[in-house]
Structures are given as structure tokens and as C-alpha cells.
Amino acid sequence: MQTEDLFKEMAQSITDGESEKAAELAKQSIAMGIDPLDAINKGFVAGVNYVGDQFSCGMMFLPELVMAGEAMKAAVAVLEPELTKRGTERKMLGKVVLCTVEGDIHEIGKTLVGTMLSATGFQVFDMGVDVPVMKIVEKARDVGADIVAMSALLTTTMVHQKDVIEALEDVGLRDKVKVMVGGAPVTQEWVKQIGADGYSEDAIGAARIARQLLGV
Amino acid sequence: MTGKIKSISNPKISLEILTPEEILRLHTATLDIIEKTGIRFPSKRALDIWEAHGAQVDRETSIVKVPGQIIEDALKLAPPKYSLAARDPAQDLPLDGNHVFLGTDGCGVEVLDIHTGQRRMSAWQDVADIARIGDSLEEIAFHWVAVSAQDYPAKTRGLHELRAIWENSTKHAQTESIYNEREAKAAVEMAAVIAGGKETLRKRPLLSIMQCTAPPLGQDGGSLDAALIGAKAGLPVGFMTMAACLTTAPATLAGTLVVGNAEVISATALIQLAYPGAPVFYAAAQTASDLRTGAYTGGGPEDFLFGAAQNKLADFYNIPISMGSFATGAKEPNWHAGVENSLSTFMASVVMSDMLLGVGLLHGSRIWSYSQMLMDCEIFSIIHKVMQGIVIDDETLALDVIRNVGPGGNFLSQKHTLKHMREIFIPQFMDRRPYNVWEEKHDDGRDWALDKARNILSTHQPEPLDPAVSSELNRIIATVEKG
């Protein structure tokens, strides 16, 4: 297969949300000696952009966006060892530590935000649900996070978003990270009250806010 | 003081949304999921109960796989009928399949202030004010915690919310905002103080407990423990699924019903295994997630269908149901709110859901509006009237009267007219004035609804709680606060 045709197929695999196909094409590109950065940027990313555009004009919907994001992840996972081998790395928009706060097991909104952030080009460290305050802070320090993003569905667990911000202050990390909060009970007033930097009611908005906060 | 409660009963309209064969298919599919895929029960107590009754329990994942027969046998132990008790016994609510009762929605986080109209964070006084208005309205039969008392510490917030309701209303309280064992124990204690002892409370449950499941196919550990505490005390307990098409359930309505049903009946069966014969109810507020954002919508044709379908499932299991209707996704009381709340409530009512949740919240149960509360009550009244249907008998056919008037006359001065005219519905918040009157004032139902709410709040005095009882409630809360 010609390189150009391979790139087209790569884009198509993302548009179709075919993770296995995307991984297969990624392997093929390595076998053909194609630079993995080219495979990503000239091949797969074109598919992501197409889906993004179609979504914006109302022709595609959230499940298609999520599946494209997952296909992209599958392709990048295959290409990553090759990137390391060549001593290159994919330029990411920033590092995000993501979780649902302590005492709260509600996962779906948080996971959706993770998918959207990765698809947008962020490196996401998803810590899962019911994550204690200090675990979040330690993770942010360990990975050198640019953003800490926290979800809560209950007004009684939402208070831990404030605790995390205070803990970040205590360890001197607060001015190094942006804090995003989300979940059904979160409002603009709450964001102001606890001194968070941004919030969004939905996952796509969250990716937009993350870019704004980092100016990328 | 407080008048009588308006409920829908003896309906003349019915709807067969699912055939008996279809219901059986949903049930069989549900049992298949519970038995082979399993449901997550992250509570040690719940897992112990399951294990003791022969379910397959994975302690690592907290996933329980239960043979269908165990679920079916357990559900048969649940009482088909019982009453929710109120501080004022005249306001007890028989959940007997022949009544539809209306409650407030919950649990919002913001309020459109009754005086300024400004949107602000909800507080304890709002819970109290809403309860007081609900106490005076004939359409409101029981209370949920309408908004969160965010000016109280998270640890005892759920208890302060209940205190606000009991201090301001004589009607039944159903809490949806207590999700741990510690608070549940204290809530039971508080209810017992008002009832006059634990045994009286068992006979007259002044409090019922609603817990949310954690879709897909999961439960919340704290909620399970709280529900078990409630059931032990004889309080009616229900589990509500909000599994939604696309995100926490399949895109199809049938698949979404299976996911939600599996969550509800597995938790309900657990309660029966722990406390055989405990009063339980089915609860549901299913919807389809928004195709563009994945967000909760709080409305749409899928909601309306779920609202009717799930009551049929609860009928099949022969337990009462608490149905999520109203709760529009609209940002303010408007066209969107009117359409969604009317249709969702009609569909849930026409199948005789025992409890309807609930009036007053906007933006997917987040923002409280007093206008919306009163207008939702009017929607309920309209449906109440529609459900009475058309009575055909000699008196209503009125042949003598028609003969008397004959061609070309009018019926305004007939005695028969005087006798029956008050059966015609009189709206409170529909604008039937001449056009020029409206043009001059440019006000509408939203303004009148708000006026009525303000008026009730400034004039209605609920029957006060005995000060000794009130201080005992505060003492119980203080104990939890310290503990």
C-alpha cells in the first residue's frame, strides 16, 4: 500500500471508530518504516479532526466522538513504543490528573471528560472514583500536572473539591496547576466560592475550558 | 389549617403501554442479567446477606450474581399495599394502587429567590419555606428534600433538611438525601421521636427513604446501608434507577429498561431477604442522554414512555412505585417546561403511579422555582381532571335540559347548569383574559404563580412541632455532629 493510502485508511478508521482496525494500521505503518509521528499527525489526527468538524455542525453525535477517541487511543498505544525507540515523543497539550472525589462513586461524567481530553490531545491520568484528597495532590505532584480535574455528583461530596484546592495550597502546588471541577451540583457560584479555575456542564465544554486555561 | 390532599383515584382512562408478554420478556431478560452478569453491591453488609442466601458473591469486585428464583421469591415477600403516614393522620397516603400522590422534586442546588428572583445557592431556610408552601397546597401530598441545605455541614445536612420539613409541614416526608448508615440511624431516631416511639413509627412510618442506584448495574454502598437501617425500623424504602439511554444504558429503550429494572429489583430483593415483608417501593426516573453532550435531559419522548412503562413493571412485581415525572430540563418556567412536565406527568399518571416526583425544579432538577412549583401543581390538577374521564348517565346526558332549551336557546340559566358548572375546570395560571387586558399588563401565569407562593409564605402557619420534640431533634443531630 502507498503511504498516502495508508494515511487515508488511518483517518477512516478513526472516523468509523474502529479501534482494532486503527491498531492494525498502526502496526502496518511501523512495519513499513513510517515515522510514528507522521502516522499520528498525517494519518489518524485527520480522522479526529473530521469527526470534530462533523460533530460541530451537528452531523455526528457524542457516541461517534467517544468511539473515535478510543480508536485514536488504540492507535497511539501501538505507536508509543516506536516513538520511544526513536527518541521522539508526541507533543501533548498538557497533563491532566482526573478523578471523582472521595466518598463519591459516580464515574460516567468523569470518564467522558477523560475521553474528550485525550481526544483533544491532553495526557490524562484517570485516578478513578472515590479518590482521597491527598492521593490527588500526590499524583498531581508526581506527574507534574498542569490541570487537576475533579468530579462530584453529591452536594455532600462536592465539598472535597474545596479540600483538594486547600491541600494544593498547603503543599505549595496551587499556583502551578489549574483546577477544574464538574458534576451535576457544581455551579458557577460554587466555582467562585472554592476558588477553582474553571468548570463545564458537559465533557466537550470541559475540553474547551482545559485549552483555555492553559492557553493552548 | 391544612386542607385535604388532592389525589388521582378511580381513573376512567387507562393505557396498555406494554403487553403482558412484553413485560414477561423484560422480566426474564432482567433475571438473566442479574444471574449471569451480576450487580455491584459495594457494602459488606449487603454482600453478607447475599452470601447467606445463596448468591454468588465476589468480594474483590463486590459483584453479586443471583439465581432468578431467589430474586422472584424475595420479591413475593414485599407487601403490595401500605400507607405512608403523616404528622397529621388525616394526611396519611394509602399506596394501594388507586391513588396518585404528588410530591416536590429534589434535590436542587440553586433557588430562584422568591423575593428578588435572583438565582443563588440553596440553603436551609429554602427547604423550610418550600415545605411550608407544600404544607398548604392540596396538590402536594408529601415532601422530598427539595433543595440542599448547603449552609449546614455535609455530615448532618440530611438531618437538618428533615428537621426543616417536619418543622414546617404536617405531611409525609420522603428523604432522597441521606446516604450513609450514621445519618440513617439518626433519621430513624428523629422520626421515632415525632411518632412517639419506635413501635409507633413502625405502624405509622412518618418517613420513607429513597435511594439512587449507581447505573449501570451497580448500587452505592452508603445508600444500601442507609436503606437497610430504614427497612429494619419499618420505614418504606425504595431504590430509584436513573439509567439513561446512550451513557449508562443501551441506546434502545428496552435495553435501558432491563438495566434499570435489574438495579431496582436486585436492591429490593436484598431488602426482602434482610427484612422479609418490609414495605418497599419501586422508583425510577429514566431518560435518554442528550445525543450531543451526553448530559441528563430531564425530558423528551423517551422519558414519557419510561414513565408509563416502569409502573407496569412495578405492577408486575406488585409493589408501589415512585415515578420521576416533571423535573424538566428547561432553564426557566417556559414552553419547554410546560410541554415536558405535562406529558411526563400525564404518562406517569395514566398508569396510576402511586407517587409522582415532583414539582418545582428546573434545569434537570437543579434550580428551584416557586413559579414552576405552583404551575406544576396546576398541571397535576389538569391531569387529575382529565383522568376523571367522561361520566355517562341520565344526569350527565341531561336530556330533559336539552329538550327544555331546544334549538336556539342557551343553557346558562338552567338549574342543571348551576348544579354542575363547578365540575368545569377553572385554571389559576392560564391567561383567559381579553387580549387588551393582557396587552396592558403583559403579565402571565408565571407572575400569578409567584404571587400565590409569596402569599402562602407570608400567611400560612403550619401546625407547629411541639417545642420539646423540636429540641429533641436538635439534640439527636448534635450527637451525630459530635460523633
Side-chain angles (χ1 to χ4, degrees), chain B residues 105-382:
Chain B
D105 199 9
C107 181
V109 291
E110 293 186 304
V111 172
L112 299 178
D113 190 277
I114 193 166
H115 301 298
T116 67
Q118 293 296 308
R119 183 166 54 87
R120 57 168 174 74
M121 205 175 244
S122 62
W124 186 89
Q125 191 57 49
D126 299 315
V127 186
D129 288 351
I130 293 165
R132 189 133 64 93
I133 293 174
D135 184 59
S136 86
L137 291 170
E138 62 169 359
E139 295 90 346
I140 301 293
F142 66 101
H143 301 276
W144 253 15
V145 175
V147 294
S148 180
Q150 292 174 89
D151 49 345
Y152 276 84
K155 200 174 172 188
T156 51
R157 190 176 293 166
L159 302 174
H160 283 289
E161 289 162 352
L162 276 178
R163 178 173 64 84
I165 292 173
W166 279 323
E167 286 178 351
N168 287 280
S169 173
T170 50
K171 294 178 181 175
H172 180 81
Q174 182 168 100
T175 176
E176 82 288 12
S177 73
I178 280 183
Y179 1 78
N180 62 60
E181 199 173 333
R182 191 187 64 242
E183 269 193 299
K185 277 182 179 159
V188 167
E189 228 184 299
M190 288 164 72
V193 168
I194 298 173
K198 290 215 161 140
E199 276 321 298
T200 326
L201 179 65
R202 187 176 291 280
K203 287 187 205 110
R204 295 191 41 73
L206 299 170
L207 175 68
S208 52
I209 297 184
M210 208 291 303
Q211 297 293 353
C212 276
T213 64
L217 305 180
Q219 314 289 351
D220 177 76
S223 297
L224 287 170
D225 293 339
L228 285 163
I229 295 290
K232 188 181 176 190
L235 302 184
V237 168
F239 289 89
M240 173 177 273
T241 177
M242 293 177 73
C245 296
L246 293 182
T247 51
T248 47
T252 48
L253 273 69
T256 299
L257 281 173
V258 169
V259 169
N261 195 41
E263 294 161 5
V264 174
I265 69 168
S266 62
T268 309
L270 173 82
I271 298 292
Q272 291 306 321
L273 292 176
Y275 303 104
V280 286
F281 57 91
Y282 197 111
Q286 295 201 275
T287 185
S289 307
D290 181 67
L291 262 174
R292 294 201 166 80
T293 62
Y296 176 75
T297 53
E302 297 81 13
D303 269 45
F304 313 151
L305 289 165
F306 285 138
Q310 269 154 326
N311 186 64
K312 295 291 178 185
L313 285 167
D315 282 350
F316 176 78
Y317 299 117
N318 207 11
I319 54 176
I321 189 169
S322 180
M323 190 65 221
S325 65
F326 295 103
T328 178
K331 311 287 189 289
E332 59 177 349
N334 57 14
W335 177 85
H336 178 171
V339 170
E340 285 189 343
N341 289 359
S342 300
L343 285 169
S344 66
T345 305
F346 178 74
M347 290 294 273
S349 298
V350 79
V351 292
M352 296 299 284
S353 300
D354 303 84
M355 295 165 270
L356 296 180
L357 279 314
V359 304
L361 284 173
L362 296 167
H363 192 35
S365 298
R366 279 180 276 206
I367 304 171
W368 180 266
S369 156
Y370 288 95
S371 283
Q372 192 63 47
M373 178 194 198
L374 273 290
M375 290 190 292
D376 283 344
C377 285
E378 175 134 307
I379 289 173
F380 179 73
S381 288
I382 292 169

Side-chain angles (χ1 to χ4, degrees), chain A residues 72-91:
Chain A
M72 183 70 191
K73 226 188 213 170
V76 171
V78 170
L79 294 171
E80 241 154 23
E82 186 65 15
L83 282 166
T84 317
K85 214 192 305 177
R86 293 183 179 223
T88 53
E89 65 181 63
R90 190 179 165 216
K91 200 171 169 306

Side-chain angles (χ1 to χ4, degrees), chain A residues 73 92 94-99 110-111 113-127 139 143 147 149:
Chain A
K73 226 188 213 170
M92 304 301 282
K95 291 176 181 170
V96 184
V97 166
L98 177 72
C99 67
K110 179 269 302 167
T111 305
V113 167
T115 305
M116 288 305 127
L117 287 172
S118 327
T120 313
F122 286 93
Q123 189 178 2
V124 177
F125 301 87
D126 188 339
M127 300 181 72
K139 187 78 178 178
V143 304
I147 293 175

